[in-house]
């Protein structure tokens, strides 16, 4: 009986995917070919998982899924998302370490860190910052297709000057519209009481399907979501990771396991040994780099 239901469910999904593709072609592609990047349109026609992502996020209502595809594809074209690379992002953004991928939560979801104290509102850099977030999301989507992320807003030592509501709304839209099914949860850690009013506004933007994914946690409560091995010392964790650039610090994706443990290349073994030798130097250089690259009032939101 269960097998019959599963088979019918799969058939229904196939029909919805086909209907979504057909209607997108007929209702959105006529007269508006310049609105989208042709690479995205092609992927929509070829990759069932992409269409399924939009459908499940919009509870299998084809009309709603189409609106979402239209909005996210327009955004992808406007921001040139398919052409964003490390070299198209200003280097200082990477050097500051305000946003990066590192570690996993207890459910095995990759962690996407936002260190809020390193952010400051600045109209001149907002577009680059938005592209920087898109760079990380796109990079992750290619490396781990279909795998959700857990966003961590680390608000330790932050204040009102670190909050840019336009940027926060953009980050939420990335998960609400542009990258469906991407968000496992969004954890706000150590939020100062002075920001309560701002976060009430944020909650109203999230919408019902995302609000359940929003978690507020103190430094001690965060340990219910993330193990000590992936938490920094200021959250009571034991993770020795210190952000530095170059290279990009997100290359700790799940390593394939063989009989004798993780597969490690010779290059990697050598670099690991070099890493251990240079660890003390790395820590001091990280601290001095942070001071050097951070403008007087900080940067970002």
């Amino acid at each position: 009986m269960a097998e019959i239901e599963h088979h019918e469910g799969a058939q229904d999904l196939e029909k919805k995917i086909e209907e979504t593709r057909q209607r997108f072609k007929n209702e959105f592609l006529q007269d508006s070919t310049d609105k989208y990047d042709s690479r995205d349109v092609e992927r929509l026609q070829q990759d069932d998982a992409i269409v399924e992502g939009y459908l499940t996020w919009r509870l299998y209502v084809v009309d709603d899924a189409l609106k979402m595809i239209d909005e996210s594809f327009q955004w992808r074209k406007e921001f040139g998302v398919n052409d964003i690379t490390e070299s198209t992002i200003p280097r200082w953004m990477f050097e500051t370490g305000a946003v990066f991928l590192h570690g996993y939560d207890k459910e095995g979801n990759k962690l996407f860190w936002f260190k809020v104290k390193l952010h400051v509102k600045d109209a001149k850099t907002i577009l680059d910052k938005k592209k920087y977030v898109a760079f990380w999301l796109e990079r992750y989507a290619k490396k781990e297709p279909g795998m959700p992320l857990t966003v961590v807003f680390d608000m330790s030592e932050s204040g009102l000057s670190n909050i840019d509501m336009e940027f926060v709304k953009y980050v939420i839209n990335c998960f609400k519209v542009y990258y469906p099914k991407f968000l496992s949860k969004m954890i706000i850690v150590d939020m100062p009481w002075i920001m309560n009013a701002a976060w009430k506004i944020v909650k109203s933007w999230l919408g019902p399907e995302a609000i359940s994914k929003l978690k507020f946690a103190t430094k001690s409560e965060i340990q219910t979501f993330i193990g000590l091995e992936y938490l920094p010392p200021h959250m009571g964790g034991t993770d020795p990771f210190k952000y530095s650039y170059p290279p990009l610090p997100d290359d700790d994706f799940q390593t394939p396991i063989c009989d004798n443990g993780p597969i490690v290349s010779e290059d990697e073994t050598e670099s690991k040994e070099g890493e251990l030798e240079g660890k003390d130097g790395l820590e001091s250089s990280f601290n001095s780099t942070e001071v050097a690259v951070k403008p007087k009032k900080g940067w970002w939101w």
Side-chain angles (χ1 to χ4, degrees):
M1 189 73 185
E3 277 179 25
I4 293 168
E5 280 174 17
H6 176 72
H7 180 65
E8 284 175 357
Q11 279 188 324
D12 285 348
L13 181 58
E14 275 172 34
K15 278 183 196 157
K16 295 250 184 194
I17 288 172
E18 199 38 57
E19 183 191 340
T20 304
R21 282 187 174 135
Q22 209 49 53
R23 285 186 56 191
F24 184 76
K25 216 187 251 178
N26 298 342
E27 296 167 33
F28 290 86
L29 276 183
Q30 314 296 85
D31 318 318
S32 59
T33 42
D34 291 345
K35 244 167 68 167
Y36 314 118
D37 184 321
S38 59
R39 289 167 286 185
D40 292 328
V41 174
E42 202 174 304
R43 271 197 292 269
L44 189 79
Q45 295 301 332
Q46 291 172 355
D47 189 345
D48 286 358
I50 289 176
V51 190
E52 190 183 335
Y54 288 108
L55 280 167
T56 45
W57 199 237
R58 294 271 55 93
L59 305 174
Y60 301 99
V61 178
V62 174
D63 280 352
D64 294 348
L66 285 166
K67 278 184 209 144
M68 195 174 177
I69 293 166
D70 175 51
E71 194 179 333
S72 62
F73 278 19
Q74 283 191 63
W75 167 77
R76 290 179 68 84
K77 167 97 186 234
E78 183 194 337
F79 274 66
V81 173
N82 287 315
D83 298 308
I84 292 176
T85 63
E86 204 173 328
S87 59
T88 63
I89 304 284
R91 186 184 167 100
W92 64 267
M93 288 199 169
F94 288 107
E95 288 173 341
T96 311
V99 175
F100 54 88
L101 288 166
H102 172 71
Y104 295 86
D105 69 10
K106 286 184 173 179
E107 294 171 343
N109 301 306
K110 190 83 179 165
L111 298 173
F112 193 24
W113 293 87
F114 286 79
K115 294 184 81 66
V116 179
K117 72 174 183 179
L118 295 178
H119 300 242
V120 79
K121 187 172 180 170
D122 183 357
K124 293 192 291 295
T125 58
I126 185 81
L127 185 61
D128 277 333
K129 283 181 246 177
K130 287 176 175 181
K131 286 186 177 181
Y132 183 56
V133 172
F135 165 82
W136 283 109
L137 289 171
E138 198 64 12
R139 182 178 170 82
Y140 181 70
K142 288 189 179 107
K143 281 196 168 194
E144 299 272 1
M147 296 295 288
L149 280 170
T150 288
V151 175
V152 185
F153 281 103
D154 177 4
M155 302 191 79
S156 314
E157 299 171 40
S158 65
L160 285 177
S161 63
N162 302 115
I163 288 289
D164 176 352
M165 296 305 269
E166 184 193 339
F167 183 68
V168 175
K169 190 169 193 175
Y170 168 79
V171 173
I172 283 167
N173 256 356
C174 281
F175 293 100
K176 199 176 161 183
V177 181
Y178 310 145
Y179 291 90
K181 270 179 76 180
F182 232 55
L183 185 64
S184 155
K185 57 188 112 29
M186 190 178 278
I187 310 171
I188 319 296
V189 188
D190 218 19
M191 187 181 75
W193 65 268
I194 200 159
M195 294 190 194
N196 279 343
W199 281 103
K200 275 185 185 148
I201 296 167
V202 171
K203 275 185 173 179
S204 71
W205 292 335
L206 281 167
E209 72 282 330
I211 200 104
S212 62
K213 297 174 183 287
L214 185 65
K215 316 284 178 195
F216 290 88
T218 61
K219 281 179 186 171
S220 56
E221 288 165 345
I222 184 67
Q223 294 169 24
T224 59
F225 302 107
I226 302 167
L228 296 178
E229 71 275 19
Y230 286 124
L231 282 175
H234 74 271
M235 290 183 184
T238 57
D239 188 354
F241 173 78
K242 292 273 188 188
Y243 182 94
S244 65
Y245 177 85
L248 288 172
D250 72 330
D251 293 320
D252 64 331
F253 288 96
Q254 300 291 16
T255 311
I257 299 292
C258 67
D259 293 341
N260 305 319
I263 298 161
V264 180
S265 68
E266 281 176 33
D267 294 354
E268 212 175 308
T269 314
E270 280 168 27
S271 72
K272 279 263 157 54
E273 283 162 10
E275 230 174 76
L276 289 172
E277 283 164 23
K279 196 171 168 230
D280 294 339
L282 179 67
E283 284 192 18
S284 57
S285 72
F286 170 79
N287 293 332
S288 59
T289 308
E290 186 173 310
V291 174
V293 298
K294 205 167 115 183
K296 278 179 194 157
K297 289 186 181 171
W299 64 294
W300 280 71
W301 343 15

